[in-house]
Amino acid sequence: MAIQLNQPALRHARALIRQGKVVRDERDDWSEAAPTADEENDFIEREGWTEFSHWHLGVDRRENPETKQAYSFPVGDFRRVHRAGVISAESRAGQYDHYEIRDALKALLRLIDDEDK
């Protein structure tokens, strides 16, 4: 399978959630909250490709790691994890049979929701 679970991104997302750096929004909010192409480019310019990769739960190792094509299933806005991004990514991962990524996203969603209790 070409797209794999990006373990460093999963660890990064878990850490941010545990630190309270999460937006508890709803699925439909992701279209407004997701970074634009310009915001992605600015982030890459400032922080580099490794940091960019930490915001995406999917990685395609066949692609050049210094291209956006290598990364999929974004979960945040480069500051905080968005519940809406996790829900959206989970749905897409399941739709395209990326079960390991889907399951990791489900676990992130549970972590977010458990932090509310």
Side-chain angles (χ1 to χ4, degrees), residues 13-24 81 83 86 106-117:
R14 283 184 189 136
L16 290 171
I17 293 165
R18 290 185 180 118
Q19 294 168 14
K21 295 180 181 177
V22 61
V23 177
R24 289 170 175 81
V81 172
R83 185 176 186 274
V86 172
K106 281 184 181 182
L108 285 179
L109 184 59
R110 280 193 303 273
L111 185 59
I112 291 168
D113 291 345
D114 288 349
E115 291 289 317
D116 286 341
K117 295 176 183 174

Side-chain angles (χ1 to χ4, degrees), residues 19-57:
Q19 294 168 14
K21 295 180 181 177
V22 61
V23 177
R24 289 170 175 81
D25 47 5
E26 297 301 320
R27 179 186 179 147
D28 293 340
D29 297 332
W30 185 236
S31 61
E32 292 294 320
T36 65
D38 286 342
E39 289 169 334
E40 289 176 340
N41 293 339
D42 290 345
F43 184 82
I44 293 164
E45 184 70 27
R46 275 192 328 274
E47 305 295 334
W49 286 103
T50 299
E51 290 302 315
F52 180 78
S53 75
H54 290 168
W55 290 93
H56 299 81
L57 270 278

Side-chain angles (χ1 to χ4, degrees), residues 67-85:
T67 64
K68 292 181 188 180
Q69 291 85 351
Y71 307 104
S72 55
F73 305 108
V75 295
D77 63 7
F78 305 127
R79 293 185 318 275
R80 299 166 295 178
V81 172
H82 280 253
R83 185 176 186 274

